[in-house]
Amino acid sequence: MSVFSAADRARFRAEGHWGDVTLPAMFAATCARVPDRLGLVDAPNRAEIFEGAPKRLTYAQMQVEVDRYAAILQARGIGPGSLVATQLPNIAELVLLYLAISQVGAVLSPISMAYRSAELRDLSQVAEFDAYISVGQLRGQAFYAERLDALPDHVQRLGLGEGLPEGVFRLDTADAGDSAPVPLDADDLYAVFWTSGTEGIPKAVPKTHNNLMSSSLGAWRLLGLPDGANVLAPFPFVNAAAVGGLMMCWMRTAGAMILHHPFDVTVFLTQLKTEDITYTMVAPTVLVYLREQAQDPDLHPALNRLQAIGTGSAPPDPEVFVFFQDRFAIPVVNFFGSNEGAQMCSSQERIPDPRQRASFFPRDGDEAWKPALRTANGGTFKLVDPATGATVSEPGALGEMYIQGPTLLPGYYSRNGIDRSKFTADGYLPTGDLFQISDCGSLIRFHARSRELIVRGGMKISPVELDNVLSALPGVREVAVAAYADPQMGEKVCLFAVMTPGHTLDLPAVTAFCDRAGLAKFKWPERLVLRDALPRTPLAKLDRKVLAKWLAQQGDIHA
């Protein structure tokens, strides 16, 4: 039974956003069309992360392995409706198992490798897993063993590689018969993803085949990648953005997916230089590093082969966008998205100015502006004043984004069913993301998470706005601001900065920079902390709450 209403299914099909093709059907069609084309490539450091020599598989070889895993899963009683949790690094087996789980009609639930027994126990309370798949060892250390007891007794324990605990069935060496075909529907659930858990226990986000098909269309169309384009994938495949964006872009281009993660800059550069990469997506701090390394003549051919670079998850430095466009004619595409279904894409076609593209997104999809337009993934939104609940539409106005459309989840998933209590009566999902309409009226800019605003003496400060401005400080690799308590003003701003080698920074230099930038004084950072790295959530997003918590623990100590 579909988790979406008949009216939604009919509407999104009529609009051309949904269809009847499932992910296994798309993969099978590619295997039949280009069986001998290279399809999947392990990172060269596979043996350090997991075990065994790196795999390089054609589509025909992938299909054989997917069918084998599907047969093994079916023999274990896993089939339509089974919920299969996976906790896997970016190795070839991850992709093969994702496809096999879907092929037998089961529902995938990928979990971050950073989660340990406490988090796994929490997730098991929200969703009733039927099976769990992970690796025996990671980087030479036991991985599965400490998670074993966090799973309820009824959950099948399945694993890959050496060092699996007793009682865990090993998949990669198991004998397999033939897999039985399973009728699939594009409106069936494909996966249950997990939010980052920054507001408590992560929420479970169910997505259908059609949800993911439509979520991938925006990036694929805007990037304009040719048939056979190779994609370098340095993000973990645990959320809708990575699966619906990177993995689905790969499935649509039918080239090779070059796997990478955990992120290692040396390995990443080696892959860029030695593989024929057309597209990759990286965090803003990696963009800065690539700019620093661009003087390396061995890297020039690799950069010249790239047709686009995607970025997201944190405010990027606009000058980096300018650098890659002017020096290598590479358009950097800025993405903003969520597991729940938001997707903004700032491409060169839609926003030619690279500096604008680093901060702004097309206003397409705003129902109060031009109702016929849609966001990159076919959705619409409205901006709502958090205080009054009124829709805002004027240039300069600020509002919380409420979304709807073909990529929107049907509701949060739990063992008790689909929960739509967070939705409005007319079917919108409030995202908690504040966006501001540009002065020109045709663009929008992410302002802040509504719960992250810094309030200094009654004046509200967007941490994202400051991140954007301060990312241009000379010598910084990445920056983030957070609030700390002040008895007179309530809150003040602290800047955390990660410096490039050979550079340093002090607070007078920061205030002088803010002065030159014409930034209102109440927004100026009044503390500075230099760090080796910024904290990240398991989904690789900046974890500003960790910074705020650290500041709270420091008390009145001034940096």
Side-chain angles (χ1 to χ4, degrees):
M1 181 178 179
S2 174
V3 290
F4 286 97
S5 69
D8 281 341
R9 298 198 301 274
R11 174 162 65 98
F12 294 136
R13 276 177 168 77
E15 292 175 352
H17 300 303
W18 286 4
D20 297 311
V21 178
T22 64
L23 272 67
M26 176 185 281
F27 175 70
T30 299
C31 292
R33 181 170 67 88
V34 288
D36 298 325
R37 184 181 287 176
L38 184 65
L40 190 61
V41 178
D42 264 322
N45 62 337
R46 171 190 165 107
E48 299 170 27
I49 303 301
F50 175 53
E51 61 186 51
K55 298 179 184 294
R56 299 181 73 89
L57 303 176
T58 65
Y59 277 94
Q61 291 169 329
M62 289 178 66
Q63 184 69 78
V64 169
E65 284 298 290
V66 170
D67 289 344
R68 188 178 75 83
Y69 278 121
I72 295 169
L73 293 174
Q74 286 181 325
R76 303 292 299 179
I78 295 170
S82 300
L83 185 61
V84 182
T86 60
Q87 199 170 16
L88 299 167
N90 277 14
I91 54 176
E93 287 84 347
L94 173 145
V95 180
L96 301 172
L97 279 166
Y98 280 18
L99 291 164
I101 289 167
S102 179
Q103 185 168 301
V104 302
V107 181
L108 168 72
S109 188
I111 296 170
S112 167
M113 294 297 287
Y115 282 172
R116 300 180 64 188
S117 57
E119 290 85 5
L120 191 56
R121 190 174 290 110
D122 285 341
L123 303 190
S124 298
Q125 294 302 311
V126 176
E128 194 167 1
F129 299 128
D130 294 291
Y132 169 81
I133 304 173
S134 192
V135 291
Q137 300 179 86
L138 186 73
R139 292 189 179 277
Q141 302 295 316
F143 187 84
Y144 207 123
E146 77 160 51
R147 291 155 178 81
L148 194 65
D149 294 336
L151 299 164
D153 291 341
H154 73 272
V155 177
Q156 279 203 63
R157 276 83 164 158
L158 310 174
L160 300 171
E162 301 288 345
L164 292 169
E166 185 178 353
V168 176
F169 181 83
R170 183 169 176 178
L171 293 170
D172 49 327
T173 56
D175 293 329
D178 294 327
S179 60
V182 174
L184 301 175
D185 191 304
D187 293 322
D188 290 340
L189 282 185
Y190 168 78
V192 173
F193 299 106
W194 297 91
T195 63
S196 57
T198 54
E199 298 177 358
I201 293 177
K203 295 189 287 292
V205 178
K207 289 298 183 78
T208 66
H209 294 260
N210 268 326
N211 277 150
L212 288 172
M213 288 287 191
S214 55
S215 71
S216 67
L217 280 174
W220 181 62
R221 287 169 175 163
L222 289 173
L223 291 168
L225 300 177
D227 181 63
N230 296 337
V231 176
L232 175 55
F235 284 108
F237 288 117
V238 295
N239 62 4
V243 174
L246 275 174
M247 186 175 286
M248 288 296 298
C249 271
W250 161 69
M251 291 188 71
R252 289 188 181 279
T253 60
M257 181 154 64
I258 318 297
L259 295 171
H260 181 106
H261 198 266
F263 190 79
D264 182 305
V265 69
T266 302
V267 175
F268 184 78
L269 290 177
T270 298
Q271 289 177 294
L272 277 180
K273 293 175 182 179
T274 59
E275 303 285 357
D276 184 11
I277 308 296
T278 306
Y279 172 67
T280 188
M281 185 173 185
V282 298
T285 183
V286 179
L287 275 179
V288 174
Y289 185 84
L290 285 177
R291 179 179 63 178
E292 295 167 5
Q293 298 299 310
Q295 301 303 319
D296 179 357
D298 293 336
L299 188 59
H300 286 185
L303 294 175
N304 284 316
R305 284 193 296 266
L306 287 172
Q307 292 191 16
I309 301 174
T311 193
S313 80
D317 179 356
E319 297 307 315
V320 178
F321 282 50
V322 175
F323 174 83
F324 282 103
Q325 185 160 312
D326 290 351
R327 182 75 176 274
F328 293 101
I330 301 174
V332 181
V333 181
N334 196 11
F335 290 92
F336 178 94
S338 68
N339 270 320
E340 284 84 350
Q343 187 189 56
M344 305 287 144
C345 296
S346 187
S347 67
Q348 184 179 29
E349 178 185 7
R350 297 293 291 112
I351 304 181
D353 183 337
R355 290 185 177 87
Q356 277 195 329
R357 199 184 321 134
S359 304
F360 289 93
F361 299 93
R363 197 178 167 186
D364 301 359
D366 187 346
E367 296 170 358
W369 183 51
K370 295 182 179 180
L373 295 180
R374 294 291 183 269
T375 61
N377 60 8
T380 63
F381 66 89
K382 59 182 179 179
L383 298 179
V384 177
D385 187 314
T388 67
T391 299
V392 300
S393 60
E394 297 300 315
L398 182 72
E400 180 182 356
M401 181 174 282
Y402 284 41
I403 59 173
Q404 65 171 0
T407 63
L408 183 63
L409 78 167
Y412 290 102
Y413 182 94
S414 77
R415 59 179 62 201
N416 298 318
I418 300 296
D419 177 11
R420 288 185 59 86
S421 62
K422 301 294 185 183
F423 286 66
T424 64
D426 52 354
Y428 291 86
L429 179 69
T431 64
D433 297 318
L434 298 176
F435 278 82
Q436 186 170 32
I437 301 171
S438 66
D439 291 339
C440 69
S442 63
L443 305 172
I444 58 173
R445 175 169 54 187
F446 178 60
H447 184 74
R449 290 286 297 170
S450 58
R451 297 185 182 183
E452 289 184 347
L453 287 174
I454 301 169
V455 184
R456 184 189 188 279
M459 302 294 287
K460 294 181 179 179
I461 303 169
S462 162
V464 174
E465 177 194 6
L466 284 186
D467 290 352
N468 278 322
V469 172
L470 297 172
S471 67
L473 276 162
V476 299
R477 178 165 289 169
E478 56 179 338
V479 298
V481 300
Y484 65 95
D486 181 81
Q488 282 76 43
M489 304 306 294
E491 292 180 327
K492 289 184 177 180
V493 177
C494 176
L495 170 64
F496 292 85
V498 178
M499 306 304 297
T500 56
H503 292 81
T504 188
L505 187 67
D506 57 25
L507 192 58
V510 174
T511 55
F513 176 87
C514 292
D515 192 17
R516 291 194 302 271
L519 199 64
K521 283 192 175 183
F522 72 87
K523 299 179 182 179
W524 293 10
E526 294 175 73
R527 292 179 66 176
L528 170 66
V529 177
L530 301 181
R531 294 176 65 119
D532 293 332
L534 296 181
R536 300 283 172 184
T537 71
L539 301 185
K541 294 183 178 180
L542 171 70
D543 197 338
R544 209 180 299 272
K545 287 189 175 182
V546 170
L547 300 177
K549 183 178 179 181
W550 182 86
L551 286 168
Q553 293 171 343
Q554 303 307 301
D556 294 330
I557 299 174
H558 292 277

